[in-house]
Amino acid sequence: MKKIVLIICFFLSIAVHSQEKYKYVIVPKQFSFFNEPNKFNLNSLTKSFFESEGFTVFFEGDDLPDILVRDRCNALYADAIENNSMFATKIVIQVKDCQNKILLNSLEAVSREKSLEKAYVQVFREALTSLKGKIDFESRFSTPVTTNSNETIAISEAKVLSNNVVAITQETSNKNLLFALPTENGFKLVNAVPNVIFELQKTTISDLYLAERGMLDNGIFYKKGEKYFYEYYKKGKLIIENVEVKF
């Protein structure tokens, strides 16, 4: 009977591990169509977007945590594809796995701005925004589970993996919840990673703040009733988002 239980625990541990969601994204320091790193701050903009989606993000060449040093298949990889025409700047953002398989394409963002910097910033923001809320993949790659003939160790490993599942599930269910950290002029709103998602600056009106969301957009942040909202303009349209935050 013990052997049957151990076999079940072993296969459950493998299944659980293989279903973990990606937590890391690696972004190039320099896109292939530019001749210098972080041209127009676009690589930083891309990194900021994925952080706002709850990922821990590294640039290529950064010091990586042990889990990525051991197996780079634990990360997603972001890249930008340029498809410019004579009068238009066109960009698609791709999300790939470690085997270079494309998991997700953004919409093709197009700008006819004459200023290259304005055009690229515009298309990157539009392409990245189209990915918002869509990057939710389970890893297809499982790190081999090392087992031991010792029954106590096998059962212990199964319990640890089960606990990880609970933690991941709880984190995923609350992934939109932000936490307010006081600053000299207002607050920083961070997620559970923690990445800074919003920077708020106080105004003369209670519960009304000037807000910046990384390099993506800026607007106002305010409390209405018991809820918090972020308002900003996108392509001339007023967007209002409900934000879950704990002060």
Side-chain angles (χ1 to χ4, degrees), residues 129-140:
T129 301
S130 74
L131 296 176
K132 190 173 177 62
K134 297 179 181 178
I135 312 162
D136 189 28
F137 303 108
E138 292 178 351
S139 175
R140 300 185 299 111

Side-chain angles (χ1 to χ4, degrees), residues 87-114:
F87 300 108
T89 302
K90 302 178 183 180
I91 288 291
V92 171
I93 303 296
Q94 292 186 337
V95 179
K96 304 177 183 180
D97 64 21
C98 64
Q99 294 185 342
N100 215 33
K101 179 182 177 180
I102 298 171
L103 303 178
L104 184 64
N105 279 325
S106 73
L107 61 73
E108 183 179 63
V110 181
S111 174
R112 300 188 185 280
E113 278 278 353
K114 292 181 180 179

Side-chain angles (χ1 to χ4, degrees), residues 168-209:
I168 290 166
T169 303
Q170 289 174 343
E171 181 180 311
T172 302
S173 64
N174 293 315
K175 68 179 181 180
N176 293 325
L177 180 63
L178 303 180
F179 302 89
L181 303 178
T183 63
E184 185 177 352
N185 299 316
F187 296 92
K188 287 184 178 181
L189 305 187
V190 303
N191 59 18
V193 174
N195 293 324
V196 177
I197 308 302
F198 288 99
E199 292 193 23
L200 308 183
Q201 291 185 314
K202 295 177 183 176
T203 67
T204 56
I205 302 173
S206 178
D207 292 327
L208 175 66
Y209 303 89

Side-chain angles (χ1 to χ4, degrees), residues 39-86:
K39 182 79 168 179
F40 304 137
N41 282 324
L42 296 175
N43 302 75
S44 295
L45 174 63
T46 304
K47 182 175 184 286
S48 177
F49 168 77
F50 284 100
E51 287 174 342
S52 74
E53 289 293 286
F55 292 95
T56 300
V57 188
F58 300 96
F59 284 126
E60 285 180 351
D62 284 354
D63 291 333
L64 300 175
D66 288 344
I67 188 172
L68 296 183
V69 172
R70 290 195 304 268
D71 188 354
R72 290 175 65 87
C73 287
N74 286 309
L76 293 169
Y77 296 81
D79 201 2
I81 306 301
E82 183 188 60
N83 187 29
N84 291 352
S85 62
M86 186 176 294

Side-chain angles (χ1 to χ4, degrees), residues 15-23 67 136-138 160-175 192:
V16 163
H17 193 85
S18 64
Q19 291 174 1
E20 287 186 1
K21 294 185 183 297
Y22 288 102
K23 298 179 182 179
I67 188 172
D136 189 28
F137 303 108
E138 292 178 351
V160 169
L161 287 168
S162 296
N163 288 338
N164 283 344
V165 174
V166 174
I168 290 166
T169 303
Q170 289 174 343
E171 181 180 311
T172 302
S173 64
N174 293 315
K175 68 179 181 180

